[in-house]
Amino acid sequence: MNTIRTNLGPERGDKVTRLEAFVDAAFAFAVTLLVISGDHIPTSISMLLEALKQVPSYAASFALIMQFWLNHADWSRRFGIEETYSDRLSLILVFILLIFVYPLKMVFASLFSALSQNYFSAQFVISTWAEVPLLFQTFAIGFGAMALVMFLLFSRAARLGKTLNFSEAEIAYAQYKRLMWGMVVFFSILSLILAATIPARPESGAWVGMPGFIFFGLNITQVVIRRHYRKKNIL
């Protein structure tokens, strides 16, 4: 979910509010929870090398969290909406983030462990096949819930655009971002459905991982949407 810089005029939220500072601090804290060495500082070369194997999952988790932070910062700067409804949405975003951060890293750790044949080993154990869908469901709910908050924030900007005298370009940009985050919500729901319906047993093979792989389709969809809006000279 990329943040695209546009020439929409002056930034309305040019002053950092206490709420924005709190959101920024919460995102920074969430990133520290992903630290590659976990709760223990490596005391030997072997422990250091084992900790470094977590870099891919850390990098992927970091990149995803930063997408939410960048887009929330983009929303705050561009529209500068200060009201109870939007403030509550920002707080809900932080609340979900701090719950979602560990399942996020677990999913990426599982992905890189599977792709590397356990070279990038995960620091947790999946005991039974039945636990695999639960991991994907947790990720889909957390990711989808955060995306829903972003969808509602940009929807609010689009809805209040005329009332707050936003330009047509600003309203169109809010609508574009609303659509992009709406697609994230859609794919999260699709992932949740797949995780609940695909049998979690060895016979299912690669299909067991489909609730996670389905998100690669999200990238393709967003590229198509982005090109469409660029042709309309909105981006």
Side-chain angles (χ1 to χ4, degrees):
M1 183 64 208
N2 295 327
T3 298
I4 300 176
R5 305 296 179 187
T6 59
N7 297 318
L8 299 180
E11 294 180 346
R12 299 175 183 276
D14 56 347
K15 295 181 180 180
V16 178
T17 65
R18 293 184 65 187
L19 178 62
E20 289 178 61
F22 174 75
V23 172
D24 291 346
F27 271 88
F29 176 70
V31 170
T32 63
L33 295 177
L34 297 173
V35 61
I36 62 172
S37 61
D39 298 329
H40 305 285
I41 298 176
T43 57
S44 66
I45 294 298
S46 60
M47 291 180 64
L48 174 62
L49 293 177
E50 191 64 29
L52 289 176
K53 291 181 180 179
Q54 299 176 51
V55 169
S57 60
Y58 173 81
S61 303
F62 177 86
L64 189 58
I65 288 176
M66 285 299 97
Q67 289 302 313
F68 282 99
W69 177 76
L70 288 170
N71 276 271
H72 186 273
D74 184 47
W75 175 85
S76 298
R77 288 194 306 269
R78 293 198 182 281
F79 305 112
I81 300 175
E82 297 182 31
E83 54 161 358
T84 301
Y85 177 79
S86 298
D87 289 349
R88 287 176 178 173
L89 286 176
S90 295
L91 292 174
I92 291 173
L93 180 67
V94 169
F95 176 78
I96 299 172
L97 168 68
L98 296 178
I99 297 174
F100 170 59
V101 60
Y102 280 129
L104 170 66
K105 188 176 181 182
M106 291 169 66
V107 168
F108 281 121
S110 299
L111 172 63
F112 287 107
S113 177
L115 293 177
S116 66
Q117 296 184 345
N118 206 38
Y119 176 78
F120 297 112
S121 58
Q123 290 191 325
F124 65 96
V125 178
I126 298 178
S127 303
T128 64
W129 281 85
E131 293 178 349
V132 177
L134 293 176
L135 182 62
F136 284 126
Q137 288 169 5
T138 303
F139 177 86
I141 291 173
F143 187 38
M146 290 183 67
L148 178 60
V149 173
M150 297 304 305
F151 171 83
L152 292 174
L153 284 172
F154 282 104
S155 294
R156 189 66 170 172
R159 188 177 301 114
L160 296 178
K162 292 184 178 179
T163 303
L164 299 177
N165 297 320
F166 289 175
S167 67
E168 292 185 5
E170 288 174 320
I171 295 175
Y173 181 76
Q175 293 171 340
Y176 157 73
K177 301 295 281 190
R178 177 180 62 186
L179 177 58
M180 293 288 274
W181 283 109
M183 293 308 302
V184 178
V185 175
F186 172 78
F187 273 86
S188 297
I189 294 174
L190 183 58
S191 175
L192 185 63
I193 294 173
L194 290 174
T197 56
I198 296 176
R201 52 174 181 256
E203 295 79 21
S204 298
W207 283 99
V208 175
M210 189 56 62
F213 294 134
I214 194 68
F215 285 106
F216 288 105
L218 173 63
N219 296 326
I220 299 174
T221 302
Q222 290 184 334
V223 167
V224 174
I225 294 173
R226 192 175 300 116
R227 287 182 177 177
H228 171 71
Y229 274 83
R230 279 176 176 167
K231 289 181 179 178
K232 295 171 66 175
N233 294 323
I234 293 175
L235 302 181

